[in-house]
Amino acid sequence: MIKLEILRYLKDERFIEWMLKPTDELDSYWEVFAAAHPEEVAHIEQAKAYFKRIKLGHYQTTAQQRTETLNALHKSLNAHRRKKQIRRIAYGVVACAIIVVLSLTYFYGYMHSSSELTETADYIVGSELESESILLITGGTSTVFDSDVAIAINQDQSVSVSSGDSETRTIAIDEDTTNKLIVPYGKRSQVTLADGSRVWLNSGSSLEFPSSFEKGEREVSLTGEMYIEVASNTDKPFYVYTPHYRVNVYGTAFNVSTYRDSPSSVVLVEGSIALQSQQQDGVLLMPNEQAIFSPSTGGFEKRKVDPALLTSWKDGYLTFEDTPISEALKQIGRYYNLSFNFGEHVSLQGMTCTGKIILSDNVNNVMTALSLISGMAYKMEEGLIYMYNNNDE
Amino acid sequence: MANIEFSSIEHVYNANLDILYSYGVSIGFTEHIVMDAIHDVFFKLCTQYSSLSEIDNLKSYLFRSLRNRLIDIKRTNREFAELSDREVDDLPFQIRVTIEDDLIKKEDAREIKQQIEAFLSLLTPRQREVIYLRYMMEYSYEEVAEIMQISVLATRNLVSRSLAKLKDKTLIFYLLISLAI
């Protein structure tokens, strides 16, 4: 216990004031005091040390407050970034238009300009966007992952998450909660649902799914794109809700794509499914058929396709067959979190590409592959990607 | 302009959350409002700067931003609380005293606490705030002035002005000493 000689100072008004609010007067007061009582100097020093341990105006946040506010901050920053991206693309379009006008007026007479990029107005500019994290929301808590994840719902009310190089984590969930997995552009994930159905979630997608399928029906909601292999169970029909329509599943594998900037479509690989929008009910799809949703009519158009072309992303490559270059760039942009600005002027708009592109970790390899199959050239400079027509040079 | 990424401020957030929270609560706001204000401060930091290195003194930037944000919130709420301009700008700064020292007996701790509280109650809220920043946060006068947005001289005056009561006592003490000699 602290000695009485020291305690005396801690209770002393002048000592307290000296500690908290030292003034010249107080300094000299204690100097004189110490000079008069040299035997007290050691006690005073110890009293000072004790006083330092007293906490003033000290409050502590709880662990729950910390994680909640940190998540809230993360969320608002992501929302802000998305808004900004939209603005950036809009600026980009304007910038492109300005470049065209400048190029046409200024460079018209200067065919032998030194910069190879400004020789033609026909190029598409792409820029890398800041990377976002994958977000898993289970009940009231959300968890953030920096690299692609594989998630499996277990029977014992928990979720196993394996992410990149780190160990598998287990998160407890309630039986009756709905979970949400948000995968930003540039990332991918896999989910094994409670009934064993397997989902490949593509970049820029989110999937809502329950912790268990106790009820009579199995229901999930999707925005973006997924490939799903539904576990067969005739007692419990499986429904996929998208912003515009519902897919009724009868044990099967298919691909649903509902990106806002591309036509929404469903491709059936095997089994059978029916589509149901507000305007059109019971559109039955056969294997190797694709149904494209038409926002103007609210109905579907069917056509024969090779499903491998449209589902190869889940196996790590993209397949194009007479695909417009703009559509190919959209797909690559989503996968690598790049933003491409398409000017309306560009003759590139009519160009198509045919071939396979392996989705490697290096964007450079992908762009090289795209140049090869499209006959275009590309250049990367300071985080921007320029695509231009090779033949124009 | 690029933003500061969430991942690069996460550690700054964790390292400063408790001291910012303590400051906000001491200024006189409820924990909920303080947490909201801290959120706003970091949001603004991330969206207005492209790198943390653009800020000279990050810690005092955070304190100043939080203080301004809380005053803003108070101004917005004024209509509901019917406060005058003066009342809004006068923050009722209070300092809670906590003694968690095993070496000090409970009754002694209570007595020390009462003494410190008695001393603090003689000060104005602004003086208490300067003491808090100087003593607890160990800020220099320059930093305190920056956070409270007053001049360095005013900051010094706020703490160097002695309480009249003490002067008398000092005089008596000098007197006693001179008599003893």
Side-chain angles (χ1 to χ4, degrees), chain A residues 97-254:
Chain A
I98 292 170
I99 288 169
V100 178
V101 173
L102 283 181
S103 313
L104 290 179
T105 54
Y106 189 73
F107 291 107
Y108 187 71
Y110 300 85
M111 293 304 283
H112 302 286
S113 160
S114 60
S115 165
E116 49 173 323
L117 284 179
T118 45
E119 277 181 10
T120 167
D122 285 355
Y123 56 83
I124 298 170
V125 188
S127 59
E128 255 180 273
L129 302 173
E130 282 160 275
S131 75
E132 289 176 33
S133 303
I134 292 172
L135 201 61
L136 173 66
I137 304 166
T138 50
T141 57
S142 53
T143 322
V144 173
F145 304 95
D146 285 331
S147 52
D148 299 358
V149 294
I151 288 174
I153 308 277
N154 304 322
Q155 298 298 328
D156 58 348
Q157 284 168 38
S158 66
V159 192
S160 306
V161 185
S162 50
S163 173
D165 39 355
S166 61
E167 277 176 56
T168 303
R169 290 169 60 174
T170 310
I171 300 167
I173 47 167
D174 285 336
E175 200 181 312
D176 47 5
T177 53
T178 300
N179 312 295
K180 192 169 186 177
L181 183 67
I182 302 169
V183 180
Y185 290 121
K187 304 262 162 67
R188 268 84 30 205
S189 289
Q190 281 182 37
V191 184
T192 307
L193 298 173
D195 63 344
S197 297
R198 295 179 71 197
V199 177
W200 283 258
L201 210 52
N202 206 347
S203 313
S205 307
S206 81
L207 182 72
E208 275 182 47
F209 54 96
S211 302
S212 68
F213 292 114
E214 286 304 313
K215 287 185 294 168
E217 291 163 352
R218 296 175 287 173
E219 294 177 336
V220 299
S221 300
L222 169 82
T223 62
E225 182 169 26
M226 71 167 178
Y227 175 84
I228 182 168
E229 289 173 3
V230 176
S232 177
N233 184 343
T234 41
D235 295 337
K236 288 183 180 174
F238 196 103
Y239 298 115
V240 178
Y241 287 86
T242 78
H244 299 292
Y245 51 89
R246 189 174 87 169
V247 186
N248 307 342
V249 186
Y250 316 107
T252 199
F254 61 99

Side-chain angles (χ1 to χ4, degrees), chain A residues 70-85:
Chain A
L70 203 59
N71 286 338
L73 178 66
H74 194 209
K75 237 170 111 179
S76 355
L77 286 173
N78 278 341
H80 174 81
R81 187 173 302 154
R82 271 193 291 277
K83 263 190 228 157
K84 229 180 96 174
Q85 272 170 20

Side-chain angles (χ1 to χ4, degrees), chain A residues 1-2 7 11 13 21 23 25 33 51 53 55 57-61 66 69-70 76 80 84, chain B residues 1 3 13 17-18 22 39 47 96 98 100-103 108 111 135 159-162 165 169:
Chain A
M1 275 294 155
I2 184 169
L7 208 54
K11 293 177 185 175
E13 213 179 314
K21 200 167 163 295
T23 59
E25 281 165 291
F33 181 86
F51 196 87
R53 289 160 63 167
K55 287 177 185 150
H58 178 77
Y59 300 86
Q60 238 176 337
T61 51
R66 277 194 291 274
T69 48
L70 203 59
S76 355
H80 174 81
K84 229 180 96 174
Chain B
M1 189 179 71
N3 291 342
Y13 186 93
L17 182 63
D18 274 356
S22 297
H39 167 274
T47 52
R96 185 174 79 170
T98 328
E100 293 160 342
D101 201 323
D102 293 342
L103 294 172
D108 287 329
E111 204 180 320
Y135 178 78
V159 278
S160 62
R161 216 180 295 140
S162 267
K165 212 173 131 201
K169 280 195 176 163

